[in-house]
Amino acid sequence: MSIYTELQSKMKAVRLVESSDALPQLIKKAETQELSYSQFLLSVMTYEQQRRSEKVIEKRLKWASFPIYKTLEEFSLQEQPTLKKQSFNQLTDLAWLDQLYNLILLGPTGVGKTHLAIGIGIKAIQEGYKVAFISMGELIQVLKTEEMTRKSRLRLKRIREANLVILDDLMFMAVDRREANLLFDLINELYNQSSILLTSNKGPGDWGELLGDPALTAAILDRLIHRSEVIQLGGDSYRMKYRSTIFH
C-alpha cells in the first residue's frame, strides 16, 4: 500500500471523508503554494469543515421541501411598495426566530408572499436552523394519513423538529371538523417550540368561516398571533405583470 493510499484510508478511518476524497487537489495546492506542514494540515481541516457545513445545508434544503428555490436577493422591494426596506431588514435578520415569534404574511395572490417565505427559509437554513415548508392542502393530507403511511410520518417528524415551519396558503380552502382539529393539534404542538411563518390571502377575521368552528378558530388564532408580526403585502400581481405570452 502506498503512503498516499494509506493516508486516505486513515483519514476515512477517523471520518475525514470529505478531505480524503479531495486529497489529490489538496496536496497539489500545498505543493504549488509551498505550504508548511502546519499550513497543509490547516488547509485539510478547513476543507473538511467547509464541506461538512455545505452538506448539512444541502441536506436541510432537501428536507425543507421547498417547491422552488427563491432567495431573498431575488425578492424585489421595488415591486412591493407596502414593505419598507427597514421592515424587510428586520424580517430577514432572523432575530425573531430565536425569540419564537411567528410571522404572518397576508395579501392577494401573486404579490410575493411565498417567495418571501421561501427566501427567509433558505436564509434560516444557511444560518443553521432547521426549516420545513408545506402548503395547507398538503399538510391536511399528511395529517390525515400520518397513521397510515411512513412518508407522512417522516414529513411530520421533520415539521415537528423544525425551528421554522412555513405553512403556505393557509386557509385557502374550507376544512371539515376533523381536519380543523388535526391542524389545531399540530399548531398546539409547535407553540412555544418553533416559529411559524404562514402565508394567506385571507385575513384572520375570515378564518372562522373556513374552519367552521368559532371556538377552534379562536384557539388557533390565540397560538398563532401571540408573539407574532403581521405583514400586509399589496400591489399588483407580480406573476401577471411579468407573465410570458405566446403573442408578440
Side-chain angles (χ1 to χ4, degrees):
M1 179 184 293
S2 68
I3 293 179
Y4 172 78
T5 306
E6 185 177 0
L7 179 57
Q8 276 194 312
S9 176
K10 290 187 180 300
M11 289 173 74
K12 288 181 178 178
V14 295
R15 299 186 179 179
L16 296 175
V17 178
E18 301 299 327
S19 47
S20 170
D21 293 339
L23 193 57
Q25 301 97 290
L26 293 170
I27 290 176
K28 184 176 181 180
K29 177 183 176 182
E31 291 173 343
T32 302
Q33 298 181 359
E34 298 181 347
L35 300 181
S36 66
Y37 296 127
S38 57
Q39 287 173 326
F40 172 65
L41 182 58
L42 179 61
S43 72
V44 170
M45 300 309 293
T46 299
Y47 180 85
E48 183 73 26
Q49 184 181 41
Q50 288 175 342
R51 279 301 298 142
R52 287 187 181 186
S53 296
E54 289 167 359
K55 291 191 82 168
V56 167
I57 289 174
E58 290 167 6
K59 183 182 291 185
R60 287 185 178 177
L61 282 171
K62 181 179 179 181
W63 286 354
S65 298
F66 295 120
I68 193 169
Y69 191 89
K70 287 281 190 179
T71 65
L72 290 173
E73 289 73 23
E74 297 173 277
F75 185 83
S76 175
L77 275 176
Q78 294 177 338
E79 300 290 341
Q80 187 44 255
T82 59
L83 183 60
K84 304 303 181 185
K85 186 173 179 60
Q86 183 180 8
S87 299
F88 177 79
N89 290 338
Q90 288 177 328
L91 292 180
T92 57
D93 70 5
L94 303 182
W96 52 276
L97 260 180
D98 293 322
Q99 300 166 5
L100 291 179
Y101 262 72
N102 297 326
L103 180 58
I104 300 174
L105 302 179
L106 301 177
T109 299
V111 296
K113 301 185 302 295
T114 300
H115 182 164
L116 183 55
I118 291 173
I120 290 172
I122 289 172
K123 185 178 181 185
I125 288 174
Q126 291 169 341
E127 296 196 8
Y129 297 95
K130 294 180 181 178
V131 177
F133 179 102
I134 193 165
S135 67
M136 175 74 167
E138 188 178 6
L139 176 62
I140 294 299
Q141 183 62 27
V142 167
L143 287 169
K144 288 166 65 176
T145 57
E146 180 179 12
E147 296 180 2
M148 294 178 274
T149 73
R150 181 178 177 277
K151 183 178 179 181
S152 292
R153 286 193 296 274
L154 179 59
R155 189 74 183 277
L156 284 167
K157 180 176 183 291
R158 288 174 180 167
I159 288 172
R160 291 179 176 118
E161 291 177 350
N163 305 111
L164 173 62
V165 178
I166 301 173
L167 303 181
D168 193 39
D169 275 339
L170 194 74
M171 306 303 170
F172 88 102
M173 62 180 189
V175 296
D176 61 31
R177 182 175 291 273
R178 175 172 175 258
E179 293 167 345
N181 275 291
L182 288 171
L183 177 63
F184 168 75
D185 288 343
L186 178 64
I187 289 174
N188 195 44
E189 279 185 78
L190 297 176
Y191 181 62
N192 278 337
Q193 173 184 304
S194 309
S195 288
I196 299 174
L197 191 168
L198 66 87
T199 75
S200 180
N201 60 10
K202 298 183 184 297
D206 298 320
W207 293 358
E209 181 181 342
L210 294 166
L211 288 172
D213 187 326
L216 197 57
T217 303
I220 289 175
L221 282 171
D222 180 64
R223 284 152 182 78
L224 288 175
I225 294 181
H226 178 223
R227 292 199 314 273
S228 71
E229 187 69 39
V230 180
I231 305 294
Q232 181 73 49
L233 300 179
D236 298 326
S237 169
Y238 187 86
R239 285 191 292 271
M240 286 298 292
K241 186 174 180 180
Y242 294 101
R243 71 189 186 279
S244 298
T245 177
I246 61 173
F247 301 109
H248 300 285

